[in-house]
């Protein structure tokens, strides 16, 4: 794919998101919120893919950047009462952007000193960063501390989630699918050779980190105005792991695969929950014959992941990796 | 006019080992110089000093009249020195085409914003880069592999691709570290012709490290011999070949 029609794709996706949001009151709210989760998952996974997949770094702190964006945008919109439609969406856009910038700034602060580290060292530092964010938020009484922060407005809708998911995909794909962007993959492949070929590897890594964090911050803003309640614990280590798993499962550095993995991993726990809620099944006399799934949902989820990793270590959706 | 590359008393120590010792080396414009010596003599280390991978413990490295000591490797490449590696270091997950294209970011007029906006100017520039990449690949008969993964090429083709990739940086000085290693006799003859061709066509200087004496003696105008990091001889191929110190170094004394 030479991405000649990338902009058409982007505008089309945003228009589709807009139309879908007009029809949102026809959609069962339960599903609506799952759609939001999917869109947010896509933004998180695709942006992390720039860092962990294409550039070959190993960040375990993506949920930390999401938290920065979530709290920043929530604090901004909480300053306002009820507003008319246009003003409200304008404020929301500004708050999302501010959340992205705050997360990008955090990415820059973490990235510059740490991106000289390789592999597992970087993973540990970013993991530590994520935990620091959580602890700071827990102790910030202004944003509710450990009790959490109510977000007054539920501004997140299909337009914003899918529009911004499309923007994320567009930005990451455009970056990587360019002469400039081959540098990210060169860094991933061989840093010594990349430097010898004139590529400023530190700058590329920091760029990947900052752009990735920016979108994680935006995803955080969407999350805040969808759940309308934030707790520091919601952005822990396990959350970061989930996004890392999406990237690995999608086949590192494979945008389409990562999007599919984000969808699958968001739906999987919901699907298991639904199975356990089925009242009757033909052939079973007991009520809620699959109820046991409910209690063991997370175990099944983990086992499925292990099975997938063992059978398709190159990524679930990595059929052929051709890049041009 | 000063030489293109000038090393003055360049020394590097690794702990107790002096890998390159007070090396003086000049390379003129459009000159083809050989750098030889037994295993462990310090040839690759000299390359790493010139390209900024290592910093000299003492001494000077000047390129185009300016010191490059302390410069980062990517900066030195941008200044006009490109290299290949003794152990091939292509970008394995990129295609043959993209291995070369990645280097063209050095010559980009636009920055990241162009890649994001994807306007007319962007597409025109990418098109012209694609043309120039293909032109280079065709010169070295690698055009037919453009969409193959670099790692799937034969050994000889990978070596040639590494040279093409280095040339994409538009260097004034090309450093080749054992380009004939692992090649068969026919490939070596071809490579010899290729190196000569590169020097003439691109009008650049070449510093060649090579163990195969037929290749080195055949094309180099001047040869520098290292042994235990020390320059033990320098001169025309026939002079060097007859030098008793060189013979002793190669026979292991
Ligand atoms: N980073 C390093 N740390 C310690 N010692 C090193 C380092 N790099 C090179 N050396 C040592 O410096 C000496 C010169 O090594 P170098 O690789 O330059 O030799 P060479 O002439 O390229 O040999 P060959 O023909 O085998 O490639 C060797 O003894 C090597 O072990
Ligand atoms: Mg060597």
């Amino acid at each position: 794919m030479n991405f000649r029609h990338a902009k058409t794709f982007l505008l089309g996706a945003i228009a589709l998101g807009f139309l879908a949001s007009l029809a949102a009151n026809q959609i069962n709210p339960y599903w609506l919120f799952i759609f939001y989760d999917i869109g947010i998952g896509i933004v998180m996974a695709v942006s992390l893919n720039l860092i962990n997949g294409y550039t070959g770094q190993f960040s375990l702190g993506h949920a930390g950047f999401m938290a920065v964006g979530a709290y920043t945008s929530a604090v901004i919109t909480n300053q306002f009462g009820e507003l008319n439609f246009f003003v409200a969406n304008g404020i929301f856009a500004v708050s999302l952007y501010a959340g992205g910038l705050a997360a990008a700034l955090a990415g820059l602060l973490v990235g510059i000193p740490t991106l000289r580290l390789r592999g597992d060292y970087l993973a540990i530092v970013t993991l530590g960063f994520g935990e620091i964010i959580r602890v700071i938020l827990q102790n910030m009484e202004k944003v509710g501390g450990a009790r959490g922060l109510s977000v007054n407005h539920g501004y997140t809708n299909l337009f914003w989630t899918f529009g911004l998911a499309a923007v994320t995909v567009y930005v990451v794909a455009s970056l990587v699918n360019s002469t400039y962007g081959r540098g990210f993959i060169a860094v991933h492949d061989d840093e010594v050779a990349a430097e010898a070929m004139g590529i400023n590897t530190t700058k590329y890594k920091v760029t990947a980190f900052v752009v990735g964090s920016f979108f994680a911050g935006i995803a955080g803003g969407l999350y805040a105005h969808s759940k309308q309640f934030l707790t520091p614990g919601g952005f822990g280590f396990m959350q970061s792991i989930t996004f890392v798993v999406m990237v690995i499962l999608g086949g590192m550095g494979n945008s389409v695969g990562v999007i599919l993995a984000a969808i699958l991993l968001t739906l999987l726990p919901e699907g298991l929950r639904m199975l356990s809620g089925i009242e009757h099944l033909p052939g079973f006399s007991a009520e809620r014959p699959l109820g046991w799934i409910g209690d063991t949902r997370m175990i099944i989820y983990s086992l499925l992941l292990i099975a997938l990793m063992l059978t398709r270590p190159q990524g679930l959706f990595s059929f052929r990796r051709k890049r041009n | 006019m000063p030489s293109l590359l000038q090393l003055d008393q360049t020394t590097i120590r690794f702990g107790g080992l002096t890998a390159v010792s007070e090396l003086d080396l000049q390379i003129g414009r459009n000159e083809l110089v050989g750098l030889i010596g037994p295993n462990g003599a310090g040839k690759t280390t000299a390359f790493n000093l010139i390209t900024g991978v290592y910093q000299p413990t003492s001494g000077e490295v000047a390129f185009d009249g300016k010191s490059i000591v302390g410069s980062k490797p990517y900066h030195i490449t941008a200044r006009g020195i490109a290299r290949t590696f003794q152990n091939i270091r292509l970008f394995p997950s990129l295609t043959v085409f993209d291995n070369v294209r990645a280097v063209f970011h050095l010559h980009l007029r636009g920055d990241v914003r162009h890649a994001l906006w994807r306007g007319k100017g962007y597409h025109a520039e990418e098109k012209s880069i694609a043309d120039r990449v293909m032109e280079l690949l065709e010169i070295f008969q690698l055009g037919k592999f453009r969409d193959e993964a670099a790692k799937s090429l034969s050994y000889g083709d990978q070596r040639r691709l590494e040279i093409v990739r280095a040339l994409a940086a538009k260097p004034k000085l090309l450093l080749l570290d054992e380009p004939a290693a692992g090649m068969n006799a026919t490939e070596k003859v071809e490579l010899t012709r290729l190196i000569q061709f590169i020097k003439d066509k691109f009008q650049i200087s070449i510093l060649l490290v090579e163990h195969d004496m037929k290749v080195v003696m055949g094309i180099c105008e001047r040869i520098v011999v290292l042994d235990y990091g020390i320059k033990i001889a320098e001169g025309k191929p026939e002079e060097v070949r007859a030098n008793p110190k060189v013979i002793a170094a190669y026979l292991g004394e």
Side-chain angles (χ1 to χ4, degrees):
Chain A
M1 180 156 44
N2 67 6
F3 261 75
R4 257 198 173 273
H5 304 294
K7 262 198 277 189
T8 324
F9 153 81
L10 174 66
L11 294 177
I14 292 175
L16 220 64
F18 181 70
L19 290 178
S21 73
L22 293 180
N25 51 7
Q26 310 292 318
I27 303 173
N28 169 344
Y30 170 76
W31 277 106
L32 206 54
F33 280 94
I34 290 180
F35 286 146
Y36 298 161
D37 285 347
I38 288 176
I40 292 165
I42 291 176
V43 176
M44 289 302 286
V46 170
S47 57
L48 184 63
N49 191 30
L50 179 63
I51 303 170
N52 287 23
Y54 290 115
T55 319
Q57 305 307 297
F58 196 175
S59 169
L60 271 178
H62 218 45
F65 297 113
M66 187 183 186
V68 172
Y71 275 85
T72 305
S73 72
V75 166
I76 292 175
T77 57
N78 273 358
Q79 308 298 316
F80 300 90
E82 286 309 313
L83 299 163
N84 82 46
F85 177 82
F86 290 101
V87 180
N89 277 287
I91 300 271
F92 184 42
V94 170
S95 81
L96 289 175
Y97 191 64
L101 286 184
L105 186 69
L108 192 68
L109 289 177
V110 183
I112 287 178
T114 55
L115 284 169
R116 283 163 222 283
L117 302 172
R118 273 160 214 243
D120 23 3
Y121 293 101
L122 179 65
I124 291 167
V125 172
T126 50
L127 190 156
F129 156 78
E131 290 305 291
I132 290 171
I133 290 287
R134 200 171 55 79
V135 172
I136 290 177
L137 288 172
Q138 241 156 26
N139 291 291
M140 263 171 83
E141 282 309 318
K142 274 215 172 91
V143 293
R147 278 172 294 113
L149 176 69
S150 300
V151 183
N152 298 341
H153 306 283
Y155 288 148
T156 298
N157 60 22
L158 286 176
F159 167 70
W160 286 112
T161 13
F162 283 94
L164 287 170
V167 169
T168 311
V169 173
Y170 172 84
V171 168
V172 170
S174 300
L175 268 187
V176 172
N177 289 291
S178 67
T179 294
Y180 166 85
R182 297 289 94 171
F184 292 107
I185 302 168
V187 170
H188 164 276
D189 277 8
D190 189 331
E191 283 190 35
V192 173
E195 286 263 328
M197 289 302 114
I199 290 163
N200 182 344
T201 54
T202 309
K203 202 167 153 195
Y204 268 87
K205 286 194 252 180
V206 171
T207 304
F209 219 66
V210 168
V211 173
S213 312
F214 175 79
F215 284 108
I218 290 205
L222 290 170
Y223 177 90
H225 296 85
S226 151
K227 306 286 178 213
Q228 293 193 255
F229 191 73
L230 300 174
T231 55
F235 302 98
F237 170 60
M238 276 317 290
Q239 270 302 312
S240 287
I241 292 282
T242 308
F243 303 127
V244 170
V245 170
M246 288 174 183
V247 171
I248 296 175
L249 211 56
M252 314 266 262
N254 171 343
S255 289
V256 177
V258 168
I259 293 169
L260 292 175
I263 297 172
L264 183 76
L265 285 195
T266 312
L267 287 178
L268 194 60
E270 297 304 328
L272 291 175
R273 202 212 309 272
M274 264 194 252
L275 283 182
S276 73
I278 295 173
E279 295 287 339
H280 296 286
L281 267 188
F284 289 86
S285 52
E287 235 174 72
R288 296 190 47 180
L290 297 176
W292 54 274
I293 291 178
D295 314 318
T296 49
R297 196 160 61 100
M298 290 327 282
I299 297 177
I300 295 177
Y301 176 79
S302 310
L303 286 176
L304 273 175
L305 286 185
I306 293 172
L308 289 172
M309 285 299 157
L310 288 177
T311 48
R312 289 196 67 87
Q314 74 278 39
L316 194 54
F317 304 106
S318 180
F319 307 108
R320 187 174 52 120
R321 270 220 281 175
K322 195 174 133 195
R323 293 156 162 164
N324 56 24
Chain B
M1 195 147 78
S3 347
L4 184 61
L5 180 76
Q6 177 132 10
L7 272 66
D8 270 320
Q9 299 285 297
T10 311
T11 300
I12 183 166
R13 281 189 209 98
F14 298 113
L17 175 89
T18 308
V20 172
S21 176
E22 302 181 348
L23 177 63
D24 287 329
L25 176 69
Q26 280 99 35
I27 298 176
R29 277 159 220 276
N30 201 214
E31 196 183 12
L32 206 170
V33 179
L35 179 63
I36 64 170
N39 288 103
K43 305 177 296 290
T44 299
T45 306
F47 270 25
N48 286 332
L49 283 170
I50 296 168
T51 53
V53 175
Y54 296 152
Q55 295 303 325
T57 315
S58 63
E60 182 56 63
V61 182
F63 182 68
D64 234 353
K66 287 202 198 82
S67 172
I68 51 171
V69 173
S71 295
K72 297 265 188 205
Y74 60 82
H75 198 72
I76 292 173
T77 309
R79 292 276 312 274
I81 304 181
R83 72 178 292 182
T84 65
F85 292 89
Q86 185 168 351
N87 313 304
I88 302 175
R89 299 189 87 137
L90 290 164
F91 303 126
S93 71
L94 287 178
T95 61
V96 167
F97 177 81
D98 275 344
N99 261 273
V100 183
R101 179 184 172 205
V103 184
F104 270 85
H105 82 282
L106 280 170
H107 318 305
L108 281 176
R109 271 172 282 119
D111 59 11
V112 203
R113 279 168 299 180
H114 276 66
L116 288 178
W117 180 247
R118 309 211 145 219
K120 271 217 178 70
Y122 167 81
H123 288 297
E125 186 167 27
E126 290 285 324
K127 172 84 175 58
S128 111
I129 287 173
D131 291 345
R132 283 181 285 164
V133 169
M134 283 316 290
E135 198 181 313
L136 272 177
L137 286 175
E138 291 298 352
I139 293 177
F140 298 89
Q141 282 100 47
L142 290 167
K144 53 184 177 292
F145 302 125
R146 67 165 281 172
D147 292 328
E148 314 255 328
K151 60 177 174 228
S152 70
L153 295 189
S154 76
Y155 199 73
D157 286 338
Q158 290 195 27
R159 285 237 174 257
R160 276 188 299 139
L161 178 57
E162 232 198 352
I163 298 176
V164 179
R165 188 181 65 171
L167 285 173
K170 295 194 187 140
K172 294 177 193 152
L173 172 65
L174 177 63
L175 308 179
L176 300 174
D177 200 347
E178 302 200 20
M183 286 188 170
N184 63 35
T186 346
E187 285 176 321
K188 279 181 188 173
V189 173
E190 235 176 78
L191 179 78
T192 312
R193 233 179 299 156
L194 190 71
I195 294 174
Q196 189 68 54
F197 168 81
I198 290 169
K199 177 184 170 253
D200 297 337
K201 166 146 174 108
F202 297 95
Q203 288 291 306
I204 59 177
S205 310
I206 297 176
L207 180 60
L208 171 68
V209 165
E210 185 48 66
H211 276 298
D212 189 296
M213 285 307 140
K214 252 207 214 70
V215 174
V216 179
M217 297 292 169
I219 46 174
C220 294
E221 294 147 27
R222 187 156 55 87
I223 292 174
V224 173
V225 190
L226 284 184
D227 191 23
Y228 294 110
I230 297 165
K231 181 160 88 178
I232 57 167
E234 176 167 5
K236 295 212 168 68
E238 53 276 16
E239 293 166 8
V240 164
R241 200 190 336 232
N243 188 320
K245 272 197 198 158
V246 177
I247 297 168
Y250 270 92
L251 295 177
E253 287 164 281

